[in-house]
Amino acid sequence: QSALTQPRSVSGSPGQSVTISCTGTSSDVGGYDYVSWYQHHPGKAPKVMIYDVSKRPAGVPDRFSGSKSGNTASLTVSGLQAEDEADYYCCSYAGSHSWVFGGGTKLTVL
Amino acid sequence: EPQLVESGGGLVQPGGSLRLSCAASGFTFSSFAMTWVRQAPGKGLEWVSIIAAGGGRTYYADSVKGRFTISRDNSKNTLYLEMNSLRVDDTALYYCSKGEPGDLGPWGQGTLVTVSS
């Protein structure tokens, strides 16, 4: 149950796009289409932005999109806005009723 | 609207015990699996445990297996996490969430557990 690998930080200017990667193994990210992405503003409850690799819950802007290739999943935020600044975590099902999160990525809007 | 409120956190010495609670409202609690996730200071999220809707099946992260016990009382719409043999590295903000990781939640605001002598 090793944590998924995410970059510690990414940044972009308002209006730009950024992509956050999430690398695992064939036992988690690569083995299941159950990757989700959470947005976490400090002091608040984490909020799911993407589930099942690329599905977006109602109310989440379509500026947020997810994808997966092999053992790496990605979250892309297009048209960056100030309120997108937060920590982002990926999460994958890892088999045998277990889940694994990534280490988190701090998104800074310049 | 679904809501979760955790409680029971606090300061405990290494080797001690603590029981966390998560009060649910706004949804049919007995129909959903429930999950505990924690975040150590300055660290990322870590899945801790999950319990099936009926309470008959439970699963744990290796880091807490044998020390933590997840349970639920569907008559009281409450989820629990009994934590024994606590270690310094169990210090974290503990969140409960509706459903499995990746489900739509919600999550609670968390309750802080500090293990220190």
Side-chain angles (χ1 to χ4, degrees), chain A residues 21-52:
Chain A
S21 61
C22 169
T23 301
T25 69
S26 59
S27 297
D28 38 62
V29 174
Y32 307 94
D33 287 334
Y34 296 125
V35 177
S36 52
W37 289 90
Y38 290 86
Q39 179 188 66
H40 190 200
H41 289 107
K44 293 192 172 183
K47 173 187 174 184
V48 64
M49 305 302 282
I50 295 289
Y51 67 100
D52 293 352

Side-chain angles (χ1 to χ4, degrees), chain B residues 9-49:
Chain B
L11 175 63
V12 62
Q13 292 188 336
S17 299
L18 212 55
R19 188 177 84 157
L20 306 184
S21 298
C22 169
S25 60
F27 65 99
T28 305
F29 180 74
S30 59
S31 295
F32 293 90
M34 295 293 294
T35 297
W36 286 101
V37 174
R38 68 184 181 183
Q39 183 175 32
K43 302 292 186 181
L45 299 173
E46 180 187 14
W47 171 74
V48 173
S49 182

